[in-house]
Amino acid sequence: MSDQVIRFDLPQTEIPHQWYNVQADLPRPLPPVLHPGTHQPVGPDDLAPLFPMALIMQEVSQEPAIDIPEEVREIYKLWRPTPLLRARRLEKALDTPAHIYYKYEGVSPSGSHKLNTATAQAYYNKKEGVRGLTTETGAGQWGTALSQACNFFDMDCIVYMVKISYQQKPYRRAIMQTFGASVTASPSETTEAGRSILRKHPESTGSLGIAISEAVEVAATSQGRYKYALGSVLNHVLLHQTVIGQECLKQMEMAGEYPDVVIGPTGGGSNFAGIALPFLRENLRSGKKTRLLGIEPAACPSLTRGKYAYDFGDTMGMTPLVKMYTLGHDFVPPPLHAGGLRYHGMGSIVCEMYDQGLMEAIAIQQLETFSAALTFARAEGIVPAPEAAHGIAGAIREAMAAKDAGEKRVILFNLCGHGHFDMSAYDAYLGDQLSDYDFPQAEIDAAMATLPQL
Ligand SMILES: *Cc1c(COP(=O)(O)O)cnc(C)c1O
């Protein structure tokens, strides 16, 4: 036992040189994104006020591989390649014959996988002469990553932070300000969208949808000086995250194993896609049969209980229409302690994978998730982000199923972030203040009734 290897590190020369674009391999192409007014497919010009052309082209590219610019790889070297670990102590605690591996993205300076795309997005905007980026943040992980990325490229970063988080998470705000971002509690008086909400609801504590509307408005009315950045959902975001799974393929080879199942939590789908897509490529091209399993919170079950339909990306109905598994754009998830998973929809690539039977999804409740987080923390010494803990809960279920079946099963999951800024959620769990939440079907049906009619 004593000389068993548990950590698989790649040299920096093994940071991938290309991102993997699954659009080249999907058996059926992605459905088009539609203009909210005309219901016709949107073209590059429609998106140009918000995104740089390089990212718009990546959004629709059918090339199987897209070069990672050397400037971006240079910054990736600050934390990439990230380690792959074999969770031997967790295996022992569970007394399972399964072999459990995890890819640890929490070693990035921002503490999660989000810096992989934030760096790339800041780079392309800088190259096209954009002075700064606007964005929204809820839990704060995305705002933190984007403020660091903008700082790397000497750009402004304007963050609209959901007011309730702004008040409850002062350290999240402070870390963004440390990197030079300007952080505004949303809804705010600085935009027409914010003022109109405040006129109607002066006491509003905000929502992700409102914050998106404010950030989009600032970019759209800036005459090109500012553009908007999104931390998940979009194809180019999922593309940038494929460095994760590409590294895993090499690291699993170092470990001398190949995963039977690859697992990640699914909010907008970016960390799951990041680890899963390179394995999907092996399934599609080389006849491998790895199961790909997304874990969503039972309190916001877009894949497992939503409908595959065209819907808006934001609450106010300002964005283009995207076909996705959705709970309805004005669905309000209960105050769940995994802020990063409270999105009503899901990235288009993940939705097509699910619809085409290329992946599976399950929903897990909050108490099981936090219990899994504690089991993992006590065995492996890392406090996971509450979002990441959903993936851990899924991995533990797989490990227990392997034990019941008396079989060795190789499990790989994405530990996409640490929970050091989320200790108030742990405090609530340890103080018995959290509960499970079963969404009444009637509430989902009501939210569905507001889907746009095409
Ligand atoms: C943002 C975030 C998520 C949810 O977003 P995805 O795009 O689904 O990955 C999950 N985990 C962590 C740690 C996050 O920061």
Side-chain angles (χ1 to χ4, degrees):
M1 267 312 251
S2 63
D3 53 5
Q4 272 171 340
V5 178
I6 60 161
R7 177 166 165 146
F8 303 91
D9 282 305
L10 292 167
Q12 298 213 308
T13 47
E14 295 288 343
I15 296 172
H17 286 269
Q18 297 182 311
W19 291 299
Y20 166 58
N21 181 17
V22 74
Q23 293 195 60
D25 288 318
L26 279 179
R28 199 172 69 209
L30 299 178
V33 172
L34 304 181
H35 190 283
T38 64
H39 295 177
Q40 294 303 307
V42 298
D45 292 345
D46 295 312
L47 300 172
L50 294 185
F51 303 104
M53 209 35 84
L55 293 177
I56 293 172
M57 288 308 159
Q58 287 181 2
E59 195 62 19
V60 293
S61 171
Q62 302 294 313
E63 293 298 321
I66 293 177
D67 289 341
I68 303 177
E70 225 19 72
E71 294 90 330
V72 173
R73 277 189 85 250
E74 276 308 310
I75 291 176
Y76 279 175
K77 284 181 187 169
L78 287 172
W79 70 97
R80 306 214 71 83
T82 59
L84 177 82
L85 287 109
R86 169 113 180 245
R88 288 204 185 254
R89 294 175 54 84
L90 177 64
E91 291 168 15
K92 204 182 257 175
L94 300 174
D95 187 26
T96 173
H99 292 190
I100 307 174
Y101 292 85
Y102 61 95
K103 177 73 161 164
Y104 188 35
E105 290 293 309
V107 298
S108 96
S110 76
S112 79
H113 64 288
K114 291 219 168 67
L115 199 55
N116 297 327
T117 183
T119 304
Q121 292 190 47
Y123 166 80
Y124 288 114
N125 276 285
K126 177 78 178 184
K127 218 175 141 209
E128 295 187 23
V130 177
R131 188 166 113 193
L133 292 172
T134 72
T135 198
E136 72 291 334
T137 199
Q141 257 139 348
W142 170 240
T144 304
L146 194 69
S147 60
Q148 293 186 346
C150 285
N151 172 64
F152 288 145
F153 290 101
D154 199 17
M155 301 171 78
D156 296 345
C157 186
I158 299 176
V159 181
Y160 285 89
M161 185 172 189
V162 177
K163 193 172 279 176
I164 186 86
S165 302
Y166 185 93
Q167 291 163 347
Q168 289 178 348
K169 293 186 147 191
Y171 299 137
R172 268 291 178 199
R173 168 174 52 70
I175 192 171
M176 291 185 264
Q177 291 169 333
T178 299
F179 289 98
S182 101
V183 185
T184 304
S186 166
S188 77
E189 294 286 349
T190 65
T191 64
E192 191 42 56
R195 287 188 293 272
S196 85
I197 296 280
L198 287 173
R199 270 197 299 275
K200 275 177 269 168
H201 309 283
E203 304 299 319
S204 169
T205 52
S207 73
L208 215 46
I210 296 168
I212 294 177
S213 302
E214 291 203 272
V216 164
E217 181 183 321
V218 170
T221 57
S222 73
Q223 271 94 34
R225 286 186 306 143
Y226 291 95
K227 300 226 173 191
Y228 168 72
L230 197 60
S232 184
V233 178
L234 298 178
N235 303 337
H236 66 262
V237 178
L238 275 54
L239 172 83
H240 299 154
Q241 296 296 353
T242 59
V243 288
I244 302 172
Q246 292 185 72
E247 289 175 4
C248 282
L249 276 166
K250 290 182 184 158
Q251 288 164 310
M252 290 302 301
E253 211 175 298
M254 287 169 79
E257 302 210 79
Y258 197 85
D260 296 306
V261 56
V262 172
I263 299 171
T266 49
S270 76
N271 87 82
F272 169 76
I275 195 166
L277 291 178
F279 289 94
L280 176 62
R281 176 183 65 196
E282 299 308 307
N283 284 356
L284 293 172
R285 290 193 197 167
S286 311
K288 291 275 203 280
K289 294 201 160 47
T290 300
R291 292 166 51 224
L292 308 174
L293 174 60
I295 315 291
E296 54 186 16
C300 191
S302 344
L303 287 172
T304 52
R305 292 181 72 189
K307 185 171 162 186
Y308 197 29
Y310 274 97
D311 198 4
F312 296 105
D314 68 329
T315 309
M316 315 277 271
M318 287 167 62
T319 69
L321 293 166
V322 182
K323 190 173 181 198
M324 58 184 175
Y325 281 89
T326 177
L327 294 163
H329 58 279
D330 51 10
F331 176 87
V332 181
L336 140 95
H337 277 282
L341 303 180
R342 297 182 66 203
Y343 185 63
H344 66 272
M346 185 64 64
S348 195
I349 287 173
V350 172
C351 292
E352 267 302 304
M353 281 171 72
Y354 191 57
D355 198 56
Q356 296 185 31
L358 303 174
M359 66 170 283
E360 305 160 34
I362 57 171
I364 295 187
Q365 289 281 8
Q366 184 158 253
L367 293 180
E368 181 179 341
T369 301
F370 273 94
S371 161
L374 259 65
T375 302
F376 180 82
R378 289 171 183 178
E380 299 291 320
I382 298 173
V383 179
E387 295 86 357
H390 286 77
I392 296 172
I396 290 178
R397 279 202 192 178
E398 285 290 327
M400 298 320 280
K403 181 176 173 177
D404 289 345
E407 67 183 38
K408 178 193 147 192
R409 194 176 293 186
V410 179
I411 300 166
L412 166 64
F413 72 90
N414 196 5
L415 186 62
C416 51
H418 67 64
H420 298 174
F421 285 105
D422 304 293
M423 295 318 293
S424 58
Y426 281 84
D427 204 34
Y429 175 71
L430 293 167
D432 264 339
Q433 317 245 296
L434 295 190
S435 52
D436 284 342
Y437 191 84
D438 264 319
F439 235 101
Q441 188 58 40
E443 255 184 69
I444 294 184
D445 291 344
M448 291 296 171
T450 66
L451 289 182
Q453 300 299 315
L454 293 193

